[in-house]
Amino acid sequence: MATIGEVARIAGVSRSTASYALSGKRTISADVRRRVEAAVAELGYTPNAGARALATSQTRVIGLLAQFLEDEFAPAMLQYMLGVSNTARELGYDILLGTEADGRNALRRMTSSRMVDGIVLLNVAEHDDRLPILREAIQPGALVGLPADCTGVDVFDLDFEEAGRLMVDHLHRLGHRELILVSQPEHVIERGGAYVWRLQNAATEAARARGITLHADFGSAHQPEVGRELHALLDAYPGATGLLINNEAAAAALPTVLHERALTAPADLSVVGRYSDEFARTFSLPYSSIESAPDRLGRMAVRELVRRIEGQVGPDEPHVVRFVSPELVDRGSTAAPRGD
C-alpha cells in the first residue's frame, strides 16, 4: 500500500507539502498540486483514515440513520438513501449506514465514539426520540423530514400541504367533483409519519373549499394487499372520476389494477400520484405526479451538513428549515371527466 512519503518522493516535494496539497490546509501552487495529484494517481494512494482523523479531528464520514420499515415501500426509501450517499461521495465523504431498529442506540454509538463528522436522519417522526440525542451531540445534524420541533438541526422536506392542495386544484380545474385519495398505511401516522396527514388534511380542506367530495383512505405498503384495496375503493366509489395517490406501493400496483378492470387513464379515471420521476421510470408509471424530490432533499441536507462540518456556517448562525415546493409532472393521465 502506497504511503504519503512515496507520493512526496515521486512528486519531488516534501512529505508535508504533499500532505497540504491533498488536505487543502495551506495554499499550494497549481504546479505542485498537479504533481502531487499525478503521483497519487500513479501509486493508487488512499489517505489513511485513522491518521487523517488524528491529524484533523475529522473522519470524512457522515452517519446516515435510515430504516426499511414494514409499513413503507422499500424502493421509495432507497431513493432518499441514494440521494444522501451520492452527494456525500461528490463532496469527499463516506457514509456509515445505521439501519438497526433501535435508532437511539445507533445514533448514540456513532456520535459518542466520534465515528462520524455529522449525521443525516431519515424516517423522521413527528416526535422523533432520536432528536434529543442528536441535539446533545458535538456533531451537527440534518434531517430529511419535518419533526414537530426543529430546534438545533437543519431540516429539509417536501411541502406536503401544498402538494395536497396542488393535487386537488389540478383536478378541480379540469371539472372533477368526486375524488379518491389513497394514503400510506394508517399506522405510519400512528408511529409519527406526519407527512401522511399533512398531505391528507390539506387535500381534504382544499376539496371542501371547492365543493369536491374526497374519499380519503389508507393503503397497504405491499402487494397483493394494496391491489385488493384499490379494487375495493374503486368498487365503493363508482362515481369518483379522479384518483390521488400518496402511496408508492399503490402507485406501482395501479397499472395492473386498471388493466384488470379494463380502465384507462385519463379516459376512465384521472390519476395524480406523489413520487419521484426516477420512481416513475423504474416502475413504468404513466401517471402524472407531484415530484417527491428525494435526490434534491438528500443533496440539500448533505450540503448544509458539510457546510457546518467544515466551518462554513458559524456556530451561532441559526439552523434552517427549508421546503421543496411541489411540482406537477404532467404525463397525460388527467383530463376532464367523461361527459363534461
Side-chain angles (χ1 to χ4, degrees):
M1 183 178 296
T3 67
I4 187 66
E6 291 173 299
V7 170
R9 178 177 55 79
I10 290 179
V13 299
S14 69
R15 182 189 180 100
S16 60
T17 298
S19 179
Y20 290 140
L22 293 176
S23 68
K25 290 293 184 180
R26 292 189 183 178
T27 301
I28 301 296
S29 71
D31 176 63
V32 169
R33 190 178 300 279
R34 281 194 295 269
R35 282 154 49 196
V36 171
E37 290 173 350
V40 166
E42 178 182 338
L43 294 170
Y45 170 73
T46 301
N48 181 279
R52 180 177 58 200
L54 289 173
T56 67
S57 299
Q58 289 189 348
T59 63
R60 304 292 294 185
V61 176
I62 291 173
L64 172 59
L65 268 67
Q67 295 178 352
F68 289 102
L69 300 167
E70 283 295 317
D71 55 15
E72 291 185 335
F73 196 47
M77 175 52 59
L78 183 60
Q79 288 194 291
Y80 289 91
M81 296 170 68
L82 288 173
V84 170
S85 61
N86 289 343
T87 305
R89 184 178 64 250
E90 292 169 7
L91 297 177
Y93 285 76
D94 292 318
I95 287 292
L96 178 60
L97 176 62
T99 60
E100 65 186 77
D102 187 352
R104 287 169 54 87
N105 181 60
L107 179 57
R108 187 178 289 110
R109 187 175 64 251
M110 283 185 187
T111 56
S112 63
S113 62
R114 304 202 178 186
M115 301 163 66
V116 299
D117 296 332
I119 295 285
V120 174
L121 293 188
L122 302 182
N123 309 99
V124 176
E126 185 177 13
H127 301 287
D128 202 300
D129 62 4
R130 299 170 296 179
L131 286 179
I133 298 171
L134 184 55
R135 292 188 182 105
E136 293 173 0
I138 62 169
Q139 299 93 334
L143 280 55
V144 177
L146 178 69
D149 181 3
C150 299
T151 304
V153 290
D154 295 308
V155 176
F156 304 88
D157 204 3
L158 178 69
D159 189 337
F160 281 90
E161 288 93 342
E162 185 60 27
R165 289 188 287 268
L166 180 56
M167 295 168 91
V168 171
D169 286 346
H170 177 67
L171 292 187
H172 175 257
R173 285 193 295 270
L174 291 172
H176 294 265
R177 296 298 177 264
E178 185 175 356
L179 309 174
I180 300 171
L181 169 63
V182 182
S183 295
Q184 302 282 359
E186 191 167 10
H187 49 276
V188 173
I189 296 179
E190 294 170 356
R191 64 170 173 77
Y195 70 96
V196 178
W197 64 254
R198 284 164 56 201
L199 188 149
Q200 186 182 83
N201 287 0
T204 300
E205 292 171 6
R208 184 183 301 116
R210 291 152 183 73
I212 292 175
T213 300
L214 178 68
H215 308 287
D217 211 327
F218 304 94
S220 299
H222 303 284
Q223 281 274 43
E225 294 86 354
V226 71
R228 291 196 293 263
E229 291 160 355
L230 286 171
H231 276 294
L233 285 170
L234 293 173
D235 286 339
Y237 306 112
T241 57
L243 179 63
L244 310 179
I245 302 180
N246 184 29
N247 179 318
E248 290 90 349
L254 187 60
T256 299
V257 171
L258 294 186
H259 176 74
E260 291 171 348
R261 300 177 74 91
L263 300 176
T264 61
D268 303 299
L269 185 71
S270 286
V271 178
V272 180
R274 195 276 308 161
Y275 42 77
S276 72
D277 187 61
E278 178 66 25
F279 187 90
R281 290 196 299 270
T282 298
F283 289 91
S284 300
L285 299 180
Y287 312 122
S288 299
S289 64
I290 301 296
E291 171 60 53
S292 59
D295 288 344
R296 183 178 175 188
L297 288 167
R299 185 164 60 250
M300 292 168 68
V302 172
R303 289 191 179 279
E304 187 65 22
L305 184 65
V306 168
R307 290 180 69 231
R308 291 197 180 274
I309 291 170
E310 298 184 351
Q312 300 172 37
V313 179
D316 297 327
E317 288 191 38
H319 290 82
V320 300
V321 178
R322 293 178 182 155
F323 295 104
V324 170
S325 296
E327 297 179 4
L328 180 67
V329 180
D330 188 355
R331 299 188 182 89
S333 66
T334 63
R338 179 174 289 179
D340 285 15

